[in-house]
Amino acid sequence: MTATTKERVGQCPICTEQKQLTKDHVPPRGLFLKPRPTNTITVFTCSDCNEGSGLDDEYFRIYIATTADPNSHLMRLWREKVVGSSLERSPALQAALVEDHGPRP
């Protein structure tokens, strides 16, 4: 184990490999607007597994935010984090969402 509280070596609970582990937030930090809660649950996973779920986290945030009432805190998440962040910086994500919800054969 390293001396820091943010990283350690151990078995990743997702891939079960022995690797350098980093903190992974559950639920993802991207679901929260600032100021974010300071007491969210964290688990130690390897960086491959932690970073590998990033797109899933974004899809989940989009899914959750689509249920927002117009004057709700969730609508603020939609405007700031989904439209103003995820979709703005990722044309590939935009295209994937359009393709996923396009006409069905």
Side-chain angles (χ1 to χ4, degrees):
M1 250 185 238
T2 63
T4 70
T5 59
K6 293 184 179 182
E7 295 185 359
R8 64 170 100 178
V9 174
Q11 183 179 22
C12 175
I14 297 172
C15 68
T16 69
E17 292 187 30
Q18 195 77 11
K19 293 184 175 181
Q20 182 80 21
L21 304 177
T22 59
K23 281 188 177 182
D24 191 2
H25 293 85
V26 181
R29 290 181 66 199
L31 290 179
F32 300 100
L33 296 166
K34 291 181 180 179
R36 291 186 182 110
T38 58
N39 63 345
T40 56
I41 298 168
T42 57
V43 294
F44 284 92
T45 61
C46 71
S47 60
D48 292 336
C49 290
N50 190 343
E51 294 167 11
S53 64
L55 187 57
D56 293 333
D57 293 349
E58 292 209 41
Y59 274 121
F60 183 64
R61 179 172 60 201
I62 291 168
Y63 177 77
I64 294 298
T66 58
T67 64
D69 288 327
N71 296 316
S72 68
H73 184 74
L74 201 51
M75 181 55 78
R76 198 173 136 226
L77 179 74
W78 172 259
R79 284 191 307 266
E80 293 177 25
K81 298 292 272 183
V82 174
V83 175
S85 179
S86 297
L87 297 179
E88 187 175 287
R89 74 173 184 275
S90 179
L93 179 58
Q94 289 179 38
L97 289 170
V98 169
E99 184 178 317
D100 286 349
H101 291 89
R104 300 283 180 206

